[in-house]
Each structure stands twice: as C-alpha cells, then as structure tokens.
Amino acid sequence: MRDLSAQARRAAHHGPMPDLPPDPHRLPPPGDWFASDAAHHLLDRPKFCPRCAAALDRGLVSEWWSGGDRVFLTWCAECHWTGNVVLFDKAVIEEPEH
C-alpha cells in the first residue's frame, strides 16, 4: 500500500489534511474535484460495526449526503448488520419529563 498523506495534503478545498492511514483503494489525483472528499471519506468512515464492534474491513461503507449531513451506509460482514451511520457536529436530545 502506498502512502496517501502527501497526496491528500494537496487536496485544497477542505484545507490542510492530517496524515492518512494506509488504504488499499486508489484516491483520485490531487486537484481533481473529488480528491479531498475521498480523503475525508477515508478518515471519517466508520471503522467498526455499531452492533458487534467487528472491524468493517470486509464489510461495506458507502458515503452519501442528505443536505448537510454525511451518511455512511454500512454493512458488517461479521454479524450482517446493515444501517446508516450519520456524522454530526452537534446533537440535541430531548428527554421527556418523568
């Protein structure tokens, strides 16, 4: 696997990128319109199943967007759980009166 850190640092429209972990998939060339999004996907995608905590290396993680939300459709090869994992900056949770 090749080091993707230098390539991701040149992906400009999201600002400077931190070091990236090794990835078996090829990122788009630096400067392409999708390069920084692909780098952010590599950094932000779920790494473990929310149900059984198994690594998602053999599973499926596909990202899509709904408005400003980043949603990861996730399938675990270990327990066969399928669901969406949504990234958010702030959560507002209301608890009913007791």
Side-chain angles (χ1 to χ4, degrees), residues 10 25 29 34 37:
R10 289 181 275 162
H25 307 291
F34 193 69
D37 291 318

Side-chain angles (χ1 to χ4, degrees), residues 71-94:
V71 182
F72 294 89
L73 172 62
T74 306
W75 174 75
C76 176
E78 188 70 29
C79 72
H80 303 283
W81 177 84
T82 301
N84 291 330
V85 176
V86 181
L87 296 183
F88 53 86
D89 293 324
K90 180 180 172 183
V92 178
I93 301 170
E94 295 183 20

